[in-house]
Amino acid sequence: MSLAAFPFLAFFLALGAALVVVLDAVARAALAGAPAGPYLAGTFRHAAMRLSGQLVTTEAPDRANWRLAPAWYGALAAAGLAVVPFGEGMALIQLPTSIVLWGAVEALVVVVVFLHGWSPNAPFPLIGAYRYVATGLPVMLPSMFVLIGAALPARSLDVLAIVESQREMWNVVRQPLGLPLFLIVGLSLTLRGPMDYADSADLAGGSSAEDSGPARAMWQAARLAMLVAFSAMAATVFLGGYLGPLLPGPLWLALKTALVLELMVAATHLLPRMPVSRMVTFLWVVLLPVSFLHLLAAGLVAL
Amino acid sequence: MAVGGTPVFVAAGGGVLGAVEALRLEPALTLVATPRAAQVLVVAGEQRPSDRIALARIHAQLFEPRATVWWRADRPSGFDFGTGAPESVSDAAAFISAQATQSEGEAILLDDGPPNPWEGVGPYGQGGNGMMGGTPYGRPMAMTTDDLRDGLALDAYSATFGPYLTQWPPGLIMETTLQGDVIQSVRIVEAPLAQDLLAATPHLELARLLRLLELPALADRLVRAALADPARAAAGLARAVRWTGLLAAIPSALARDESGGDVRSRTAGRLDALSAGRPADPAAPGDLAAMLIGLEWHEAALVLASFSIDELRGAIASPAVRMAKGAA
């Protein structure tokens, strides 16, 4: 695919982010027992105000990293989406090992979120950063097992081959534990709900507690972009990506991405967040063995 | 992620917490957790004279043009800016939202300078004996000390938190030393301020806990039910809250009170009270400062939210100068 794909990817990210804003407002209003209209109208007004707002700084921050962290985060989302195929042979970056590139994106998110929390030189962001690293590592390990499991039936590390391997049966059926495990990874990558250890309520917003004006808007936008990129990858690896009858491939991928976004938004608003040590214990003691069994089962099925 | 109307930071004082929760439901406003994200500062309720400096700091963190609204609040001396809002919640919400665009800006009260003189060694405070750098602006280099939990020595960091943290009971001030996010020592400087009757309903007590567990939408639903009729049994609502699995998310045996209950059992008790339409059973925290030592920041916040504000006030003789230190 040529460079003409860049505007298309940007459009896909923007459309997905707008959908998340709507879904979030609807879910929140439904649970709160309030009409969704005012929530929604306010969100867009809110975003416009943020962009024109003033940047307030802290004492002696690491300014370069503070400003760059949202840009890195957004760039990682774009890089992740670039390996997602929108049709046969239609991925911006075609690599024989493209699923490994996605794995690198996941690992670098931990670095970027840490930088974002460390650079303002303030206690709440720093605590958020520490906590995110503590949960980030044990989240990456199940992610690795899940992605390797998905690569086994394809006998390839190419995302394109993983999609093609699902022509007979989607991975969500063949490997039923894969998608739920991967969704937990996604909640962590996008700092949402039960896995929001960096930007949490008990830290008054954690790593973004000191963000103001356009920098705050940028960080929130980058979170949304990463959510869209993650959901497109989840739809590709577990729901057959662009495969489907009648409709064109990109449309199928968009529909399946929207489905994953809905699952993510529901999990955000319905599940509580455990304290860190309880979550870390859960990740190492329960989730890691489960993901290993998942990989074992996936391997036996693929034989 | 914030949704809704004009972003507002509420610096809540005494006797106003239930009213602030009602303000949260107004679609014209979004209550945010940090003044950095706010367009308007709302100072609500009775203000302690000793909190003047903290209030001035919050005000200084707003972006320009700063806008302050006083709601059901008495102004401390020196704070002669901002406008007073109408008493009623819906009128106040419309008034506050309008201030976002009408303010012509307010000057800050504090000096925009370092808190202490520069006493560092070397151009960036990295010189001197053993590269310790002196004490730049009154802050010596953070040093490692023994850790309470796993023996991993981390830099100890001391700071005063409160009185306007929105995730804590209003008015509570604690001097805390942290390593990572683990609390190493606590000194309670000021007890929380007494609040209105609405804030003591099981609905609002559970709502404060749910926000700490990242369930703000359900918390709003509880506030809505309390505003409709706090005495009505709400078994369906209690069930909906239970179904999120929040009791399983809370660690067991966290912060045992004097009758042996923990955060989980106190929360379960509140849910029972909610479904029966009665007040929650009382609990006595005992030595609150000692209870918080060794906990993670999030756990400590859950512990504070698991007691009613009156119970916390009862446990702290204010102005308490209770010192509790962990085993070194």
Side-chain angles (χ1 to χ4, degrees):
Chain A
M1 230 158 43
S2 69
L3 288 181
F6 271 112
F8 177 74
L9 290 191
F11 175 71
F12 189 85
L13 283 178
L15 196 67
L19 177 65
V20 179
V21 171
V22 173
L23 289 175
D24 257 334
V26 169
R28 186 136 187 202
L31 277 173
Y39 277 94
L40 211 53
T43 307
F44 288 104
R45 197 156 52 94
H46 210 146
M49 182 281 296
R50 287 254 166 85
L51 286 173
S52 60
Q54 185 199 0
L55 262 178
V56 188
T57 190
T58 55
E59 186 190 331
D62 180 343
R63 202 162 271 117
N65 278 318
W66 199 6
R67 298 290 163 258
L68 278 173
W72 287 128
Y73 202 5
L76 287 174
L81 190 63
V83 296
V84 172
F86 283 76
E88 243 170 287
M90 279 169 65
L92 180 62
I93 301 177
Q94 290 189 13
L95 287 174
T97 53
S98 48
I99 199 77
V100 178
L101 189 138
W102 172 260
V105 164
E106 287 184 359
L108 287 172
V109 165
V110 180
V111 177
V112 167
V113 174
F114 181 82
L115 267 187
H116 184 244
W118 178 75
S119 52
N121 193 24
F124 284 158
L126 184 66
I127 295 174
Y130 279 148
R131 288 206 314 206
Y132 190 71
V133 174
T135 56
L137 177 67
V139 165
M140 291 307 125
L141 294 173
S143 166
M144 207 173 65
F145 287 139
V146 164
L147 293 177
I148 294 172
L152 283 175
R155 295 168 192 270
S156 164
L157 293 171
D158 189 344
V159 180
L160 211 53
I162 293 176
V163 176
E164 287 302 321
S165 75
Q166 299 178 74
R167 280 206 181 269
E168 300 299 315
M169 187 191 284
W170 290 358
N171 277 341
V172 71
V173 181
R174 194 157 40 192
Q175 306 175 357
L177 279 176
L179 186 59
L181 285 169
F182 199 51
L183 289 183
I184 295 174
V185 177
L187 289 169
S188 176
L189 285 179
T190 54
L191 324 178
R192 285 180 80 84
M195 297 301 289
D196 184 3
Y197 286 98
D199 286 14
S200 348
D202 63 313
L203 295 173
S207 86
S208 53
E210 300 285 348
D211 283 356
S212 58
R216 173 171 283 269
M218 283 274 293
W219 181 253
Q220 304 302 343
R223 280 174 67 176
L224 292 177
M226 181 54 81
L227 180 59
V228 177
F230 164 80
S231 299
M233 184 51 92
T236 298
V237 173
F238 292 101
L239 303 178
Y242 57 77
L243 298 177
L246 299 174
L247 299 175
L251 202 55
W252 271 116
L253 181 70
L255 289 173
K256 292 170 183 176
T257 303
L259 180 70
V260 178
L261 285 175
E262 279 162 31
L263 290 175
M264 293 288 283
V265 167
T268 303
H269 293 281
L270 289 174
L271 296 173
R273 179 171 61 84
M274 300 181 212
V276 192
S277 57
R278 190 168 178 77
M279 176 54 84
V280 169
T281 306
F282 174 73
L283 289 172
W284 284 108
V285 175
V286 180
L287 224 52
L288 193 60
V290 166
S291 62
F292 192 72
L293 288 177
H294 159 81
L295 179 60
L296 193 67
L300 291 174
V301 169
L303 276 177
Chain B
M1 215 162 288
V3 284
T6 306
V8 166
F9 182 84
V10 178
V16 79
L17 188 55
V20 169
E21 291 285 358
L23 200 64
R24 194 189 288 276
L25 297 187
E26 289 293 323
L29 304 178
T30 298
L31 268 58
V32 293
T34 158
R36 304 270 190 206
Q39 220 170 358
V40 182
L41 169 66
V42 175
V43 187
E46 167 211 340
Q47 301 293 315
R48 255 185 327 229
S50 56
D51 293 338
R52 286 174 67 245
I53 302 280
L55 188 59
R57 283 207 186 110
I58 301 261
H59 179 251
Q61 289 180 60
L62 296 172
F63 54 75
E64 290 171 13
R66 293 183 187 83
T68 306
V69 173
W70 302 85
W71 186 50
R72 304 187 184 185
D74 37 348
R75 297 184 193 207
S77 61
F79 288 76
D80 44 6
F81 48 75
T83 45
E87 285 272 312
S88 101
V89 171
S90 57
D91 291 350
F95 181 86
I96 293 162
S97 182
Q99 292 309 303
T101 47
Q102 285 171 10
S103 173
E104 287 164 6
E106 297 157 359
I108 58 172
L109 296 179
L110 302 168
D111 285 341
D112 187 10
N116 291 293
W118 170 260
E119 285 167 0
V121 182
Y124 302 101
Q126 86 285 34
N129 189 15
M131 289 176 68
M132 295 301 291
T135 50
Y137 298 127
R139 299 185 188 100
M141 182 186 255
M143 295 303 292
T144 58
T145 54
D146 290 337
D147 177 81
L148 290 177
R149 188 163 59 172
D150 49 16
L152 181 67
L154 291 171
D155 291 347
Y157 176 90
S158 299
T160 304
F161 294 95
Y164 294 113
L165 284 184
T166 55
Q167 69 272 36
W168 277 10
L172 176 64
I173 304 179
M174 296 205 297
E175 274 177 27
T176 307
T177 300
L178 296 160
Q179 285 187 44
D181 71 337
V182 178
I183 294 173
Q184 306 290 314
S185 76
V186 172
R187 188 175 76 91
I188 297 172
V189 182
E190 287 281 4
L193 292 157
Q195 297 299 340
D196 45 10
L197 286 175
L198 190 61
T201 56
H203 307 67
L204 264 65
E205 287 172 347
L206 280 168
R208 292 198 286 277
L209 194 83
L210 286 181
R211 293 213 172 85
L212 293 170
L213 294 167
E214 311 288 346
L215 294 168
L218 272 177
D220 285 356
R221 194 181 196 97
L222 284 164
V223 176
R224 201 172 295 278
L227 289 173
D229 182 5
R232 209 174 110 207
L237 190 48
R239 213 174 307 126
V241 174
R242 269 182 202 276
W243 278 352
T244 64
L246 91 159
L247 293 178
I250 299 169
S252 58
L254 179 60
R256 290 221 176 269
D257 59 37
E258 286 180 341
S259 51
D262 56 15
V263 175
R264 197 188 280 175
S265 71
R266 288 192 290 274
T267 305
R270 290 232 151 77
L271 285 167
D272 293 342
L274 180 68
S275 44
R278 58 172 171 83
D281 299 327
D287 188 347
L288 188 67
M291 193 179 258
L292 298 177
I293 288 174
L295 299 186
E296 290 164 1
W297 183 266
H298 186 206
E299 291 173 336
L302 292 177
V303 169
L304 291 173
S306 74
F307 292 106
S308 77
I309 287 171
D310 283 340
E311 285 159 10
L312 291 175
R313 282 170 58 78
I316 306 163
S318 178
V321 193
R322 281 202 187 187
M323 180 73 112
K325 271 209 155 105

